[in-house]
Each structure stands twice: as structure tokens, then as C-alpha cells.
Amino acid sequence: VPDGMKGEDRAWYDQRHLQQAAPYILRRSKKLVAPELPEKIEQTLYCELSPSQSRLYNELREQGQKALFDLEMSGASEGRMRMEALTRLLRLRQTCTDPRLLRPEMAPADSAKLKALEEILEEAIDGGHRLLVFSQFVEALKLISEMLREKELPFCYIDGSTVNRQKECDRFNGDESIPVFLISLKAGGTGLNLTGADMVVHFDPWWNPAVEAQA
């Protein structure tokens, strides 16, 4: 657009560019691609930390505050402070997801989210639903898989180390007796076609909303 152009002239150029580019831009909504699918329903469940989980959280929070204060008093750089803050926040996120990510000696019952997931799975499976369960933490998926094995529930699994992702996808889509698919968010957020499921559970929130939306 030439410099010094008035607003109405600039708008004309913008509209012209849009018209020229439109034939090369493909936008497809769910209603166009799969009109038979129902509207997506989203629900956020809040879990109250278990007593032992809450104690660990407060302990780590206080340690983090002290560590950051000590760094600031020692004249640490802004970059060093930022990295330390992110590390401490990650530990708090792990504690909320499942405290065994940091303290393996703790019990499964200490994880409020795992207990909530058990209830969701039971209700969903009883209702004939099949679920995709995403987590950013591979170790959390492994802990969930232990719970599924104890309940003798078959499941499929994908994380970054999975060699043949498509084989697991085909197994899930082709076998309705498998009610759960555990997926690492980074490994499975794109490029998978999982038509066999009708429910998605994000076990822990991801920092990038676009990746969550794609999953």
C-alpha cells in the first residue's frame, strides 16, 4: 500500500488483496466437513487437593519463594530468575497433576486428579463412551496406565517414544472393546485421526491453548 494513503483508499487496497488471496485459502469448519457431528461440549472440573498433596504443594511453594528471594538478593540476572521461576512453577504443576511425579513413595490416593479421572472413566464407560486422555507428562500417563491395568481395562498408548503411532490409532479405531487411549500431548496433538472416541480428557492444562484445541 503506498505511503500516505487515506483510510478509505487503504481499505480498498486491503479488500482487493483479500479478494486476490481468497482462492488460495482453504478454511473448513466442522459443520462443513462433518455436519453429522454434534456440537462440542466443554466442561472444566476443579479438584480439591488431597491433604498430603496440599502439604507438598505448600512446601514446594515456600521453597520456591525462598529460592527466588535468595537469587534476587544475590544479584542474579533476569534470565536466571526467569528460569528458576519456571522450574518452580513446573514442580507445582506436577504436584497438582500427581504428587508421585516428584515423590514416588506417595500413594495413588494422594492424587486428587487421578481419583477424579477414575470417576470420569467409570461413568463414561458405563455410558458406552470411549475416551482420549491427554497429558503433557509422560510419567503421568504411565501412572494412569497402572491404574487401568489394575482395573483390567484395555487401552492404547502413544508418547514420544512410540515407533508406530498409526498402528495404535488403527487398533483403537478398529476395536470398540478398547475404551481408553492415553496420549502424550506433544506426541499426539497433531496428525492423528481418532474417530473411535467421543470424549477427550485433558488430565492437565497445557501452556499452549492451540495445541489443546487441536487435541
Side-chain angles (χ1 to χ4, degrees):
V1 179
D3 295 333
M5 182 170 291
K6 294 182 180 180
E8 58 271 18
D9 294 328
R10 182 179 295 274
W12 182 87
Y13 268 93
D14 289 342
Q15 186 62 34
R16 183 186 178 191
H17 290 159
L18 287 174
Q19 292 173 348
Q20 291 173 336
Y24 305 99
I25 299 175
L26 177 63
R27 293 190 177 95
R28 298 189 302 169
S29 66
K30 185 184 71 174
K31 290 183 179 179
L32 292 176
V33 178
E36 73 280 3
L37 293 180
E39 289 297 320
K40 180 174 63 176
I41 299 174
E42 296 187 29
Q43 183 179 6
T44 301
L45 299 181
Y46 295 93
C47 304
E48 185 175 352
L49 299 179
S50 69
S52 55
Q53 193 175 14
S54 181
R55 286 193 296 271
L56 176 60
Y57 184 94
N58 289 327
E59 175 188 334
L60 294 175
R61 178 176 54 81
E62 291 172 2
Q63 290 177 359
Q65 290 174 333
K66 183 178 185 305
L68 290 171
F69 178 78
D70 292 342
L71 279 176
E72 186 177 11
M73 291 298 98
S74 66
S77 66
E78 182 179 347
R80 177 74 179 86
M81 291 282 292
R82 185 181 297 111
M83 286 302 299
E84 183 66 23
L86 290 174
T87 298
R88 299 289 175 169
L89 286 172
L90 175 61
R91 292 177 184 173
L92 293 177
R93 289 168 64 87
Q94 289 173 315
T95 304
C96 292
T97 299
D98 193 313
R100 292 176 294 168
L101 295 177
L102 297 175
R103 302 284 174 84
E105 69 277 7
M106 296 181 73
D110 292 324
S111 173
K113 279 192 176 183
L114 187 63
K115 183 178 180 181
L117 179 62
E118 286 187 64
E119 296 175 357
I120 291 173
L121 290 175
E122 290 176 0
E123 292 180 6
I125 294 173
D126 287 345
H129 299 285
R130 303 176 70 204
L131 300 87
L132 310 180
V133 180
F134 287 95
S135 175
Q136 64 183 293
F137 301 112
V138 172
E139 290 302 317
L141 292 177
K142 292 180 178 178
L143 294 173
I144 296 172
S145 69
E146 291 177 5
M147 178 263 289
L148 294 176
R149 290 190 184 96
E150 290 177 0
K151 292 181 174 293
E152 298 182 346
L153 287 173
F155 63 92
C156 291
Y157 181 96
I158 283 179
D159 65 23
S161 64
T162 304
V163 177
N164 193 338
R165 301 194 310 170
Q166 191 59 49
K167 182 179 179 180
E168 279 293 273
C169 294
D170 293 342
R171 188 165 74 92
F172 181 77
N173 288 332
D175 189 348
E176 294 186 359
S177 68
I178 303 175
V180 185
F181 201 144
L182 304 181
I183 308 176
S184 164
L185 197 58
K186 289 182 68 175
T190 58
L192 300 181
N193 186 15
L194 295 167
T195 57
D198 58 357
M199 290 183 65
V200 174
V201 175
H202 285 284
F203 194 62
D204 43 83
W206 179 243
W207 62 270
N208 187 342
V211 176
E212 278 194 350
Q214 176 65 26

